[in-house]
Amino acid sequence: MQHLSIIVPNGENNLSSIVGSYKIFSRANAIRKSKGQKERFKIELVGTSENVDFYDGLFTVKTHSHILGIKKTDLVIIPSLNHNYEKALKDNGPLIEWLIKQYKEGASIASICTGAFLLAATGLLNGKSCSTHWSVDTEFRQMFPRVDLKTDKLITDENGIYTNGGAFSFLNLIIYLIEKYYDRPTAIHCAKVFQIDLDRNLQSQFSIFNGHKKHDDTTVQQAQKYLEENYNDKISIESLSKKLNIERRTFDRRFIKATGITPLDYLQRVKIEAAKKSLENTRKTVNEVMYEVGYSDTKAFRTVFSRITGLSPNGYKSKYNKES
């Protein structure tokens, strides 16, 4: 029997991702047992504290074992953290060291949502792809610049390290792991019992572009403001750089350093965010929305929209506009 360690970090964390992981893996074990097979995992909640309080003491999680009592584990799940990441990392130093040790000894590690901050603090994600909640894109990039962050992805799987996007999308990661460690029929059974959509692999359609404003480059901030206020006009990035008295190559470099994306990608994301809102809340056709946000080429608009959201404009409207 293999060992599954579901981490219960110190501090205010996300209770649902701990309980949800425990319940679904327990159900997968029960399915195997009902077929006369041995359970795949011994499942334990582990940490450095015997009890961890949640939501100002409204709930308390009692761990099964201290991490020092777990000499060898096969799969580790890190739940979503609170949003005070520096404090969370400081409060869980021994966990970070334990994760490094377990990975080096052959364990796989999966992080849920902002649990990626704890995983990234180990250095194990350096040079690897990673997903987390789209809303913390900027903070994560600033803290861990050596990680290849992909917030459009719902799940990443690389060298025994799994990460996933935000909030309740962790359920898709757990089903993914169930299929990997059990089998497809067990994953389907669990997905039906817990009513989880199978095979969803993007979180792009759920993201809200927030502009990556947490930086100190005032010139880039001016450029961002200009792009956001004039996105429906024909904007030349070359002309904008001249307007700001910056050589184009230098402008691109500074913009990428401050925001994590190019000025052109920023402009496209501003346009698509405006298009999404219009498709959600108005009766306008896709073509009307396209012209409204500054596109005149139908193919170009559909290509950019699909790349950023993971859905076609019509598909997005059908899904999120209740009148359609």
Side-chain angles (χ1 to χ4, degrees), residues 104 124 170 196 211:
K104 287 180 177 179
L124 298 174
F170 83 87
I196 303 166

Side-chain angles (χ1 to χ4, degrees), residues 20-33:
S21 301
Y22 186 83
K23 287 191 67 175
I24 298 173
F25 269 97
S26 295
R27 176 56 66 98
N29 268 349
I31 292 169
R32 279 181 64 88
K33 204 170 178 180

Side-chain angles (χ1 to χ4, degrees), residues 1-259:
M1 184 184 296
Q2 293 182 298
H3 188 273
L4 168 61
S5 299
I6 301 175
I7 299 292
V8 185
N10 291 328
E12 184 71 30
N13 303 299
N14 185 290
L15 180 59
S16 61
S17 58
I18 295 172
V19 176
S21 301
Y22 186 83
K23 287 191 67 175
I24 298 173
F25 269 97
S26 295
R27 176 56 66 98
N29 268 349
I31 292 169
R32 279 181 64 88
K33 204 170 178 180
S34 69
K35 295 177 180 179
Q37 301 171 325
K38 291 183 179 179
E39 295 179 340
R40 173 69 70 196
F41 285 106
K42 178 183 179 182
I43 307 167
E44 288 193 299
L45 305 183
V46 307
T48 57
S49 299
E50 185 176 344
N51 297 293
V52 179
D53 289 336
F54 290 79
Y55 307 110
D56 298 320
L58 185 60
F59 304 103
T60 300
V61 171
K62 178 179 174 61
T63 56
H64 293 105
S65 301
H66 191 283
I67 55 171
L68 296 181
I70 307 295
K71 302 302 180 186
K72 176 74 171 66
T73 192
D74 298 284
L75 176 62
V76 181
I77 294 179
I78 305 171
S80 178
L81 300 177
N82 61 27
H83 285 256
N84 189 346
Y85 306 115
E86 291 184 1
K87 184 176 186 304
L89 300 186
K90 184 179 178 182
D91 290 346
N92 290 285
L95 269 178
I96 293 171
E97 296 302 318
W98 182 80
L99 287 169
I100 296 170
K101 178 176 180 292
Q102 292 299 327
Y103 183 71
K104 287 180 177 179
E105 293 181 0
S108 294
I109 303 176
S111 69
I112 289 171
C113 191
T114 52
F117 281 81
L118 187 61
L119 179 54
T122 65
L124 298 174
L125 278 173
N126 290 345
K128 296 184 179 70
S129 57
C130 167
S131 184
T132 187
H133 198 286
W134 55 263
S135 66
V136 297
D137 182 293
T138 302
E139 293 93 330
F140 191 93
R141 291 183 191 278
Q142 289 174 345
M143 289 180 70
F144 305 107
R146 295 174 62 191
V147 178
D148 182 15
L149 186 63
K150 298 181 180 296
T151 50
D152 60 322
K153 296 291 185 184
L154 194 74
I155 296 170
T156 67
D157 175 349
E158 192 171 346
N159 299 118
I161 292 181
Y162 312 92
T163 67
N164 95 287
F168 285 88
S169 70
F170 83 87
L171 296 169
N172 296 92
L173 172 64
I174 300 304
I175 293 297
Y176 181 87
L177 293 173
I178 295 294
E179 180 172 357
K180 194 141 193 169
Y181 282 90
Y182 294 78
D183 50 40
R184 179 75 172 177
T186 303
I188 292 173
H189 189 121
C190 288
K192 288 182 176 180
V193 169
F194 294 99
Q195 299 187 29
I196 303 166
D197 286 338
L198 276 171
D199 300 328
R200 187 162 67 85
N201 57 14
L202 293 174
Q203 64 171 336
S204 311
Q205 61 184 284
F206 301 107
S207 68
I208 301 171
F209 184 60
N210 56 20
H212 307 296
K213 301 276 189 357
K214 295 180 180 179
H215 60 84
D216 300 319
D217 191 324
T218 55
T219 302
V220 172
Q221 288 173 350
Q222 288 177 43
Q224 289 174 274
K225 187 172 187 292
Y226 181 85
L227 293 172
E228 290 169 9
E229 292 177 353
N230 300 278
Y231 66 85
N232 51 356
D233 295 332
K234 287 188 177 180
I235 297 176
S236 161
I237 303 301
E238 185 72 39
S239 299
L240 178 57
S241 64
K242 288 179 180 177
K243 184 183 180 72
L244 297 168
N245 297 314
I246 306 176
E247 190 267 329
R248 172 63 190 275
R249 190 171 296 177
T250 302
F251 176 57
D252 283 357
R253 179 179 53 78
R254 284 176 59 177
F255 201 100
I256 292 170
K257 182 180 179 182
T259 69

Side-chain angles (χ1 to χ4, degrees), residues 243-308:
K243 184 183 180 72
L244 297 168
N245 297 314
I246 306 176
E247 190 267 329
R248 172 63 190 275
R249 190 171 296 177
T250 302
F251 176 57
D252 283 357
R253 179 179 53 78
R254 284 176 59 177
F255 201 100
I256 292 170
K257 182 180 179 182
T259 69
I261 57 178
T262 66
L264 178 59
D265 195 18
Y266 192 94
L267 175 59
Q268 289 175 335
R269 288 175 182 274
V270 170
K271 287 175 178 286
I272 297 306
E273 190 62 32
K276 283 164 59 180
K277 287 183 171 62
S278 189
L279 291 171
E280 290 167 13
N281 301 310
T282 73
R283 296 183 178 181
K284 293 176 182 175
T285 66
V286 169
N287 279 351
E288 287 174 327
V289 170
M290 176 188 73
Y291 291 124
E292 185 180 72
V293 300
Y295 279 94
S296 56
D297 185 323
T298 304
K299 184 179 179 182
F301 174 66
R302 293 178 188 278
T303 298
V304 174
F305 193 98
S306 297
R307 174 176 63 81
I308 291 176

